[in-house]
Amino acid sequence: MIVDLHNHTPRCNHAEGTLDEYVLSAIKQGTKVFGFSDHAPMDFDPKYRMKFEEMSSYVEDVKQVEKKYKDDITILLGYEVDYLPGHMDTRVLNAEVDYLIGSVHFLEGWGFDNPEFMGRWEEQDIDEVWQKYFDTIEDMANTKLFDIVGHLDLIKVFKFLPKGSISKMAKNALNAIKKADMVLELNVAGYRKKIEEPYPSKELLELAFSLDIPITFSSDAHKPEQVAMFNEQIVSLAREVGYTECAYFSKRKRIMREF
Ligand SMILES: [Zn+2]
Ligand SMILES: [Zn+2]
């Protein structure tokens, strides 16, 4: 992937490898624009994210590799921010970054994509959980706080699939994403999970294309060797659906380029 905007660092406590290793891996794979977007600090679920006190050293680390490799690759700075009302912090939302990814990992405090809490899936109506998830994505888009929607259909991660139409469930969320002028990421992390397909599915990507919602690409790497994994599959999926351009950001301004 020529643009790759969603990648982590060890500061989130569940990723490994140095920033140099991520960048070198990206250069080797032919990436032209590579963004770090580690899990932003938050006063909820602090175990899986950097601390507020680490924000400045995170920025310094990214700036350092940006300079070091500037002849070979463009490095961008971002955060993956949890959309969780009551827990979003202005230090993150107003940070001087290239972009913010908004992600839903929690439904009423339940970390539905965390294997630790998978048991709760058995206790609930799957269709209701899915609808609640997409309603939350819709709410997130309506806040207009973020540039990119993280893994649009993450709710499918463990393959608890609904009976109802997913397109129908996601329709209002996609309309809100369009209205908020957000970019959708094509995130390959799903290939590494039980669902074994990217976020979003082809069905939802086609719906996004029909609404003229721009896309970008994401490894969602938590290890250097995950950078640009499944590159060919994700790029051909985007082309099949009709996309020819992808987005990246500089100081929160969108830039489009062909892929
Ligand atoms: Zn993570
Ligand atoms: Zn995420």
Side-chain angles (χ1 to χ4, degrees):
M1 47 192 96
I2 211 160
V3 170
D4 184 356
L5 296 189
H6 183 160
N7 295 288
H8 295 276
T9 80
R11 288 196 190 276
C12 67
N13 307 312
H14 63 277
E16 49 192 74
T18 64
L19 276 72
D20 284 84
E21 286 172 327
Y22 282 87
V23 173
L24 288 169
S25 184
I27 293 170
K28 203 169 123 197
Q29 301 288 341
T31 306
K32 300 295 176 213
V33 181
F34 183 85
F36 286 102
S37 54
D38 209 358
H39 296 281
M42 179 168 72
D43 67 354
F44 187 87
D45 193 43
K47 191 164 97 184
Y48 293 109
R49 56 197 66 255
M50 71 180 79
K51 298 180 179 66
F52 284 102
E53 306 87 84
E54 287 180 282
M55 287 175 77
S56 56
S57 40
Y58 168 65
V59 172
E60 270 167 42
D61 289 351
V62 174
K63 299 270 173 204
Q64 204 183 332
V65 288
E66 183 207 340
K67 259 189 228 125
K68 188 166 168 188
Y69 298 103
K70 69 173 180 340
D71 294 336
D72 299 307
I73 194 165
T74 302
I75 300 292
L76 302 179
L77 170 70
Y79 287 103
E80 180 181 17
V81 184
D82 280 84
Y83 175 68
L84 192 58
H87 297 280
M88 288 172 289
D89 194 290
T90 50
R91 285 171 283 182
V92 170
L93 298 174
N94 299 332
E96 274 183 41
V97 291
D98 291 310
Y99 58 91
L100 294 177
I101 299 175
S103 292
V104 175
H105 298 112
F106 298 97
L107 291 175
E108 288 160 3
W110 170 42
F112 62 83
D113 73 327
N114 186 336
E116 265 180 69
F117 310 116
M118 201 154 77
R120 279 205 42 194
W121 272 102
E122 314 283 353
E123 301 158 13
Q124 302 181 79
D125 182 287
I126 291 175
D127 285 60
E128 273 173 29
V129 172
W130 274 65
Q131 190 59 65
K132 199 191 290 170
Y133 172 81
F134 282 117
D135 290 348
T136 309
I137 293 275
E138 182 185 350
D139 294 343
M140 173 181 79
N142 286 335
T143 65
K144 298 189 165 66
L145 289 171
F146 310 106
D147 306 294
I148 300 171
V149 185
H151 35 62
L152 174 69
D153 53 358
L154 177 66
I155 195 71
K156 71 186 176 186
V157 59
F158 296 132
K159 225 172 165 177
F160 291 101
L161 300 175
K163 294 187 199 80
S165 154
I166 295 171
S167 289
K168 233 185 197 166
M169 289 176 178
K171 189 96 216 276
N172 291 343
L174 281 162
N175 286 334
I177 289 164
K178 173 66 187 169
K179 223 169 116 193
D181 200 23
M182 289 176 87
V183 167
L184 206 61
E185 65 164 4
L186 268 65
N187 180 318
V188 300
Y191 284 120
R192 311 193 298 256
K193 301 289 164 74
K194 182 146 193 244
I195 187 72
E196 290 181 286
E197 59 170 54
Y199 310 113
S201 63
K202 190 175 183 194
E203 176 187 348
L204 292 184
L205 189 60
E206 279 169 342
L207 206 51
F209 184 74
S210 73
L211 291 169
D212 203 20
I213 295 172
I215 56 159
T216 190
F217 294 103
S218 292
S219 290
D220 203 347
H222 287 72
K223 294 175 184 165
E225 58 267 33
Q226 289 172 344
V227 171
M229 250 175 109
F230 304 103
N231 172 52
E232 277 166 36
Q233 288 95 316
I234 202 72
V235 170
S236 52
L237 172 67
R239 290 217 173 99
E240 243 175 80
V241 169
Y243 283 101
T244 56
E245 289 188 315
C246 64
Y248 64 98
F249 293 83
S250 175
K251 299 192 166 76
R252 308 205 65 179
K253 276 220 163 68
R254 187 201 299 165
I255 302 162
M256 300 300 296
R257 71 172 284 170
E258 281 184 18
F259 64 84

